Amino acid sequence: MTRHHAPAGRDPRAVSETLISVAEIVDRLIAAIEAENRELARGLPASISIDGLDKARLAEELRLRMATGFDRGAIAIASPELRERLIDRLRRLETSTQENRIRLEAAIGATRRRVAAVMNAFRQQVNRGGPAYGANGRIPAAPRPSTAGRGRLA
């Protein structure tokens, strides 16, 4: 087994803890992205994705963690097992984010088509001289004929 030595000033235990921490954040980010991908695959609009909020928070957490003590030197002195685990996780993250981008683009396109269909139906209704929609988005009920004077003899 090859032993890896940390360059001067680098504590191997701290480097390992940093890399393990990065791998754990990447795992949580992958889980959030894959959950969002499943929702999008079911046809849910992108705007209702709770996972999108988690995804943004985890991406920021990963960015901050990588900014403190994570660099090529840290990867170079990591154990082969830890290095391979991290590389594997980062590859899976890349695959998941590519799928996520494709699914989000499709969901945005579907949302735009829905909005266009609703607006088109609205325009057609207005152009036919049909009833106008009220502020609540509904067609107001037609006024009822007055019952005043009914039942009286002339």
Side-chain angles (χ1 to χ4, degrees):
M1 176 184 237
T2 305
R3 185 161 175 94
H4 296 273
H5 298 284
R10 304 257 348 219
D11 176 13
R13 184 175 296 163
V15 168
S16 289
E17 288 173 4
T18 297
L19 295 179
I20 290 168
S21 172
V22 167
E24 288 170 350
I25 296 168
V26 168
D27 283 340
R28 293 193 329 258
L29 184 54
I30 290 168
I33 290 170
E34 289 179 350
E36 183 176 57
N37 287 345
R38 285 189 299 275
E39 289 177 0
L40 293 170
R42 288 189 0 230
L44 295 178
S47 63
I48 65 168
S49 173
I50 295 171
D51 299 301
L53 299 173
D54 271 351
K55 186 173 66 172
R57 182 186 55 77
L58 288 166
E60 179 63 10
E61 186 179 338
L62 179 61
R63 185 192 69 77
L64 292 172
R65 188 64 180 135
M66 291 180 76
T68 58
F70 182 89
D71 56 25
R72 288 179 186 237
I75 294 172
I77 64 172
S79 71
E81 297 83 17
L82 183 53
R83 186 173 38 247
E84 189 59 37
R85 174 183 172 203
L86 187 59
I87 290 169
D88 176 65
R89 303 321 293 153
L90 291 172
R91 284 182 181 143
R92 185 165 171 202
L93 176 62
E94 182 179 10
T95 301
S96 296
T97 56
Q98 288 172 352
E99 179 185 349
N100 189 248
R101 182 184 50 79
I102 291 166
R103 290 192 182 281
L104 284 169
E105 287 172 355
I108 289 167
T111 298
R112 286 183 178 147
R113 288 189 298 278
R114 285 183 197 112
V115 168
V118 168
M119 293 305 296
N120 189 38
F122 177 74
R123 284 187 207 102
Q124 288 177 1
Q125 183 74 21
V126 169
N127 289 339
R128 282 188 293 213
Y133 290 88
N136 63 0
R138 295 185 178 168
I139 298 173
R144 294 184 183 172
S146 173
T147 57
R150 284 195 182 167
R152 293 192 325 192
L153 296 174

